[in-house]
Amino acid sequence: MMTVTVKERALINEIILKNRICHVGMIDTDGMPYVIPMNFGYHDSIIYLHSAQKGGSINALEKNPNVCITFCAEPMLTWQNKEMACSYRMKGGSVICRGQVVFEEDFDEKIKALDIIMKQYTEERFTYSVPSINNVRVWKVEIDRVSTKVFGVPHPNSRNYYKDKPEF
Ligand SMILES: Cc1cc2nc3c(=O)[nH]c(=O)nc-3n(C[C@H](O)[C@H](O)[C@H](O)COP(=O)(O)OP(=O)(O)OC[C@H]3O[C@@H](n4cnc5c(N)ncnc54)[C@H](O)[C@@H]3O)c2cc1C
């Protein structure tokens, strides 16, 4: 995995874990870009995803497992001068991860992956039926390359458009 500083690592983890969905980009079977929103789990620099056993994305990934997965912290509109359009900024942070999808076939490992996905959304604990595990496709993406950027760091005179939302 690409080397990042401890500070960058903390920011990357914070942005990823704040998200409810990610966007998974791949190359479809016609060689065209194809991006879908998905739920996810994240643990030890591995992104976990799940889907139906069949579909366009599966066909695409069986041909080319390379993916680019993006996460974006909830953006906030800020401005320095309310009357000047060019002083408006979208403040937020994003993370871009690149890697390859490996489909997990082991029954118990699939359960562990699903637990990690569920943990992203709830503290509840779950049991799974055998058919539900067999019918789900679990994707594991070990991150090969990752980058993060923070945008619209505010000027001291700037204002947050969404005043009720917490600072990023
Ligand atoms: C908030 C959210 C979370 C989701 N989480 C998951 C998840 O965790 N796992 C999962 O498998 N799916 C999830 N989905 C659905 C996902 O985005 C795809 O629709 C789904 O995975 C099927 O993809 P496919 O390529 O196999 O579709 P196919 O059935 O092969 O798609 C056929 C065609 O339908 C169109 N299409 C497919 N998906 C979408 C879409 N999302 N929006 C618009 N057009 C589309 C495309 O043009 C595609 O070529 C989520 C969707 C949303 C909105």
Side-chain angles (χ1 to χ4, degrees):
M1 186 170 159
M2 197 174 94
T3 308
V4 289
T5 64
V6 171
K7 204 173 158 194
E8 281 172 327
R9 166 65 47 213
L11 180 62
I12 287 164
N13 289 345
E14 184 186 339
I15 292 173
I16 291 178
L17 291 171
K18 267 186 182 172
N19 274 267
R20 306 292 284 171
I21 62 156
C22 60
H23 288 90
V24 183
M26 60 193 84
I27 303 297
D28 74 11
T29 49
D30 296 324
M32 298 299 288
Y34 183 56
V35 183
I36 52 173
M38 292 185 82
N39 301 110
F40 71 96
Y42 177 65
H43 183 67
D44 276 350
S45 298
I46 297 178
I47 299 165
Y48 295 87
L49 303 148
H50 76 308
S51 72
Q53 285 285 9
K54 292 181 179 171
S57 55
I58 300 294
N59 297 341
L61 293 167
E62 282 175 343
K63 198 170 171 195
N64 182 347
N66 292 321
V67 285
C68 179
I69 304 180
T70 64
F71 301 84
C72 179
E74 191 177 2
M76 283 193 295
L77 188 64
T78 68
W79 65 80
Q80 195 174 333
N81 180 338
K82 205 172 182 181
E83 280 72 48
M84 286 179 66
C86 65
S87 80
Y88 280 67
R89 298 276 182 275
M90 196 55 84
K91 185 182 159 200
S94 48
V95 170
I96 298 181
C97 304
R98 295 177 176 92
Q100 295 202 326
V101 171
V102 173
F103 294 121
E104 180 60 66
E105 305 293 351
D106 181 85
F107 189 89
D108 294 328
E109 291 299 316
K110 282 172 94 173
I111 290 178
K112 280 188 203 163
L114 293 170
D115 280 340
I116 291 169
I117 294 171
M118 292 311 294
K119 195 165 164 258
Q120 179 66 18
Y121 302 95
T122 173
E123 292 300 318
E124 298 289 326
R125 290 176 161 263
F126 298 91
T127 54
Y128 306 89
S129 70
V130 172
S132 71
I133 297 300
N134 290 337
N135 291 336
V136 75
R137 184 80 74 131
V138 168
W139 315 8
K140 278 171 74 171
V141 181
E142 203 165 325
I143 300 171
D144 293 330
R145 281 192 286 157
V146 62
S147 59
T148 185
K149 285 193 179 185
V150 174
F151 297 90
V153 176
H155 184 277
N157 296 336
S158 68
R159 296 281 181 271
N160 288 329
Y161 183 70
Y162 300 113
K163 291 200 176 77
D164 55 327
K165 299 259 170 84
E167 289 287 308
F168 168 66

